[in-house]
């Protein structure tokens, strides 16, 4: 569904028709009614359901459930496609930089992000006037602002200029939308995250609320936004506020277990629950696995989103993260055999094909440490290795991985530290949707990926150009708006 049609649907059938009820906890989601949003939101329970529906959008196959990791991981040199001809080669287009404006993954990520935004706007439009408990009101507003900001952060990094919609729109209003400037979008993200950080709790006491956005989630995302904008001082300041609340787990592999979806290192994650249905389980499983036999039952995966030989070579000898992250042959029991190059991080025996219970990490403590190291280094080189220095934060991550600390002798200047952080982020955050954006932020996407295509696949064409650093605006959007002045296509498409 495209953005404009999605807005029309929400307006015509009512946002509440897409809301979800809260049963055992907030990730157990199911549709409840077809009331309009203007009549639905009255009680605290109504707003709770409305917020739950925003989280539900994160699980969608249009976002973290599928489309995002094609546009963010497969696009990079971390993973590739097993069957390049499957589904008319639409995934291969993303992998090989030949995507066309009608590519379904390009459309899904765009539309799915706006579903999250529309649901957040439905809550935000009404929350201030609601006569409900003030503590609950603050939490609901903070959650909606955080989730809307996350969706816009993904959109602006994937597509550049996009419509900035911060209230529920009518169908006619949506037709008149324009592509707002990137600076406008980042200003709104910053404003909303600052507000959210002041509204959200530091943590939650109820087990059923684990995984909801916190003030730490908002500040960590704001810090990442500042790093993306190269606002180094602002980034360092806000990221330091996140540090006291979280800690590194001693064992890297424990971060990704289905039985411990939220840990001391988790700042924000998309939660999935196995056993609901493949549409609600984490479909990352189905794409990363080629084939799995469990007690005589065959679960067939797509064999896509496979770790490349390039990412395998990126790990230093002795790096404990390698065995926890990827593999080529894995035997779990005498009756379970998995064959093929696959992402091991999120492995969980499925309830049905494509259904697993792992959470997907969006923000975690190690990411914050490396972002903080980057922000400090960009403000000026320091040879210090103590706690609080760029090298100190870098080495904290390396130590957990079983690797030797870096010193000023190893990294004698700012550029050397910059490259070390870049390399460390790749292996620490592999298969977590960060590599593509890191390549762009470090201005390394074009040279690294052109070499990757030539070395790994023998492809010297297409020659990558700067326009491919942004995806095309879905062709349906261009056609519906039919205004190449207010709503143009990205250059080169």
């Amino acid at each position: 569904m495209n953005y404009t049609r999605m807005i029309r649907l929400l307006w015509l059938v009512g946002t509440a028709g897409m809301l979800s009820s809260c049963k055992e906890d907030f990730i157990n989601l199911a549709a409840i009614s077809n009331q309009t949003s203007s009549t639905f939101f009255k009680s605290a329970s109504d707003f709770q359901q409305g917020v739950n529906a925003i989280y539900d959008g994160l699980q969608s196959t249009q976002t973290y459930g599928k489309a995002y990791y094609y546009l963010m991981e497969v696009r990079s040199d971390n993973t590739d496609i097993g069957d390049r001809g499957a589904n008319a080669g639409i995934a291969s287009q993303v992998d090989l930089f030949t995507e066309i404006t009608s590519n379904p993954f390009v459309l899904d990520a765009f539309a799915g992000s706006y579903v999250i935004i529309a649901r957040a706007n439905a809550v935000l439009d009404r929350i201030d006037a609601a006569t409900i408990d003030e503590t609950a009101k603050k939490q609901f507003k903070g959650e909606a602002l955080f989730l809307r900001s996350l969706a816009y952060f993904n959109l602006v990094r994937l597509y550049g200029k996009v419509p900035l919609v911060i209230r529920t729109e009518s169908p006619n209003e949506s037709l008149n939308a324009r592509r707002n400037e990137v600076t406008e979008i980042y200003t709104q993200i910053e404003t909303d995250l600052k507000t959210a950080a002041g509204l959200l709790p530091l943590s939650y006491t109820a087990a059923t609320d684990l995984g909801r956005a916190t003030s730490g989630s908002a500040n960590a995302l704001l810090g990442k936004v500042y790093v993306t904008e190269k606002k180094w001082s602002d980034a360092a300041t806000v990221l330091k506020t996140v540090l006291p609340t979280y800690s590194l787990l001693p064992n890297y592999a424990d971060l990704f277990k289905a039985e411990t979806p939220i840990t001391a290192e988790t700042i924000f994650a998309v939660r999935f629950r196995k056993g609901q249905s493949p549409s609600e389980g984490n479909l990352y499983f189905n794409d990363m696995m080629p084939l799995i036999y469990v007690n005589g039952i065959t679960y067939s995966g797509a064999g896509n989103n496979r770790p490349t030989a390039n990412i395998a070579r990126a790990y230093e000898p002795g790096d404990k993260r390698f065995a926890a992250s990827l593999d080529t042959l894995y035997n779990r029991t005498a009756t379970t055999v998995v064959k093929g190059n696959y992402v091991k991080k999120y492995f969980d025996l499925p309830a049905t094909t494509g259904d697993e219970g792992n959470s997907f990490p969006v923000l975690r403590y190690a990411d914050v440490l490396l972002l903080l190291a980057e922000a400090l280094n960009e403000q000026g080189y320091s040879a210090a290795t103590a706690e609080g220095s760029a090298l100190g934060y870098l080495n904290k991550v390396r130590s957990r991985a079983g690797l030797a600390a870096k010193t000023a002798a190893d990294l004698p200047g700012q550029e050397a530290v910059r490259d070390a952080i870049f390399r460390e982020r790749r292996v620490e955050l592999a298969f977590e949707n960060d590599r593509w954006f890191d390549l762009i932020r470090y201005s390394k996407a074009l040279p690294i990926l052109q070499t990757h295509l030539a070395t790994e696949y023998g492809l010297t064409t297409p020659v990558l150009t700067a326009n491919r650093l942004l995806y095309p605006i879905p062709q349906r959007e261009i056609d519906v708006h039919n205004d190449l002045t207010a709503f143009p296509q990205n250059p080169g498409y």
Side-chain angles (χ1 to χ4, degrees):
M1 182 188 303
N2 66 21
Y3 157 72
T4 303
R5 292 180 182 178
M6 178 270 297
I7 290 291
R8 287 178 173 176
L9 178 62
L10 289 176
W11 189 83
L12 290 171
V13 305
T15 308
M18 303 182 77
L19 300 185
S20 305
S21 63
C22 186
K23 296 181 181 179
E24 293 182 308
D25 60 35
F26 83 99
I27 63 165
N28 193 7
L29 303 163
I32 59 166
S33 80
N34 60 358
Q35 301 180 66
T36 66
S37 55
S38 61
T39 62
F40 177 81
F41 290 107
K42 289 184 173 64
S43 68
S45 176
D46 296 337
F47 281 99
Q48 180 73 85
Q49 292 178 57
V51 171
N52 287 354
I54 314 172
Y55 285 99
D56 180 59
L58 302 179
Q59 301 171 329
S60 166
T61 57
Q62 292 186 310
T63 57
Y64 287 98
K66 190 167 189 175
Y68 275 2
Y69 58 78
Y70 274 87
L71 300 191
M72 300 173 188
E73 282 291 327
V74 173
R75 183 67 151 193
S76 77
D77 49 354
N78 274 3
T79 64
D80 65 11
I81 299 301
D83 185 355
R84 296 206 174 276
N87 297 317
I90 58 173
S92 189
Q93 288 178 13
V94 173
D95 190 20
L96 300 181
F97 296 86
T98 60
E99 74 280 355
I100 57 178
T101 59
S102 59
N103 184 283
F105 288 123
V106 171
L107 173 61
D108 280 351
F110 193 92
S113 298
Y114 275 106
V115 168
I116 294 169
I117 291 164
R119 293 179 184 183
N121 286 342
V123 171
L124 293 168
D125 285 348
R126 295 161 183 84
I127 191 69
D128 286 337
T131 54
I132 61 175
D133 176 76
E134 282 300 313
T135 300
K137 180 186 289 190
K138 287 181 179 179
Q139 178 191 320
F140 299 152
K141 183 174 181 178
E143 287 178 281
L145 287 170
F146 169 81
L147 295 169
R148 185 174 74 181
S149 297
L150 178 60
Y152 268 120
F153 188 42
N154 288 326
L155 278 168
V156 73
R157 291 183 298 168
L158 291 171
Y159 303 95
K161 296 191 292 185
V162 293
L164 182 58
V165 185
I166 57 173
R167 62 176 179 81
T168 302
E169 291 185 339
S170 70
N172 286 337
E173 287 176 316
S174 69
L175 284 173
N176 293 323
R178 66 182 178 90
R179 294 182 62 190
N180 291 76
E181 295 297 325
V182 167
T183 52
E184 295 179 82
I185 297 163
Y186 273 115
T187 296
Q188 187 68 49
I189 292 173
E190 290 177 17
T191 299
D192 286 352
L193 288 175
K194 289 174 187 176
T195 302
L199 295 172
L200 289 166
L202 190 63
S203 62
Y204 296 89
T205 55
T208 53
D209 286 327
L210 291 180
R212 291 189 181 278
T214 63
S215 58
S217 307
N219 281 323
L221 184 57
L222 179 59
K224 200 163 192 171
V225 168
Y226 281 145
V227 167
T228 302
E229 296 180 280
K230 302 187 186 303
K231 295 181 177 180
W232 306 118
S233 178
D234 291 336
T237 298
V238 73
L239 289 170
K240 286 177 182 177
T241 69
V242 180
L243 300 184
T245 309
Y246 305 92
S247 60
L248 293 177
L249 296 190
N251 183 14
Y252 182 78
D254 290 343
L255 283 164
F256 310 101
K257 291 182 177 178
E259 56 267 31
T260 53
I262 303 298
T263 72
E265 190 169 337
T266 307
I267 299 176
F268 187 73
V270 179
R271 294 192 61 183
F272 293 90
R273 169 173 288 176
K274 179 169 64 178
Q276 302 300 301
S277 73
S279 64
E280 294 179 15
N282 189 345
L283 289 176
Y284 203 118
F285 173 87
N286 195 51
D287 276 320
M288 73 185 182
M289 284 293 182
L291 190 64
I292 179 171
Y293 303 93
V294 182
N295 298 324
I297 302 174
T298 301
Y299 298 92
S300 179
N304 292 325
N305 199 33
R306 306 176 308 177
T308 62
N310 190 296
I311 180 63
R313 292 192 298 267
Y315 291 85
E316 297 174 41
D319 192 329
K320 296 177 182 178
R321 294 169 295 196
F322 180 86
S325 300
L326 65 152
D327 209 343
T328 56
L329 178 63
Y330 181 63
N331 296 307
R332 186 165 179 137
T333 70
T335 56
T336 303
V337 179
V338 180
K339 292 184 177 181
N341 209 31
Y342 72 101
V343 175
K344 190 176 175 182
K345 269 187 179 181
Y346 309 104
F347 182 77
D348 182 34
L349 290 177
T352 60
T353 296
D355 184 19
E356 64 169 355
N358 311 71
S359 292
F360 190 91
V362 176
L363 296 163
R364 57 184 179 87
Y365 186 63
D367 186 11
V368 166
L369 291 175
L370 293 173
L371 289 169
L372 183 50
E374 183 178 344
L376 292 174
N377 181 62
E378 293 301 331
Q379 293 179 81
Y381 174 72
S382 171
T385 58
E387 182 80 20
S389 66
L391 288 179
Y393 292 127
L394 171 65
N395 287 333
K396 197 169 186 177
V397 175
R398 288 178 59 80
S399 177
R400 197 254 301 267
L403 299 176
K406 294 291 186 180
T407 67
D410 302 311
L411 306 172
Q414 186 184 52
E415 184 65 27
V417 175
R418 182 183 296 129
D419 288 343
I421 296 170
F422 176 70
R423 291 192 300 271
E424 202 67 36
R425 286 185 61 81
R426 186 182 188 188
V427 292
E428 174 66 31
L429 304 171
F431 321 123
E432 297 180 35
N433 289 359
D434 281 290
R435 177 62 173 173
W436 171 242
F437 299 127
D438 283 354
L439 285 164
I440 294 173
R441 192 172 77 252
Y442 279 78
S443 300
K444 293 179 181 288
L446 297 182
I448 284 180
L449 294 175
Q450 187 70 70
T451 300
H452 173 67
L453 292 177
T455 302
E456 303 296 329
Y457 311 121
L459 296 175
T460 55
T461 56
V463 175
L464 301 188
T465 54
N467 70 286
R468 292 285 172 174
L469 299 182
L470 291 176
Y471 286 98
I473 298 298
Q475 188 60 44
R476 290 184 187 178
E477 293 299 316
I478 301 299
D479 293 342
V480 167
H481 287 88
N482 193 29
D483 183 348
L484 295 183
T485 300
F487 216 99
Q489 181 56 271
N490 280 332
Y493 290 100

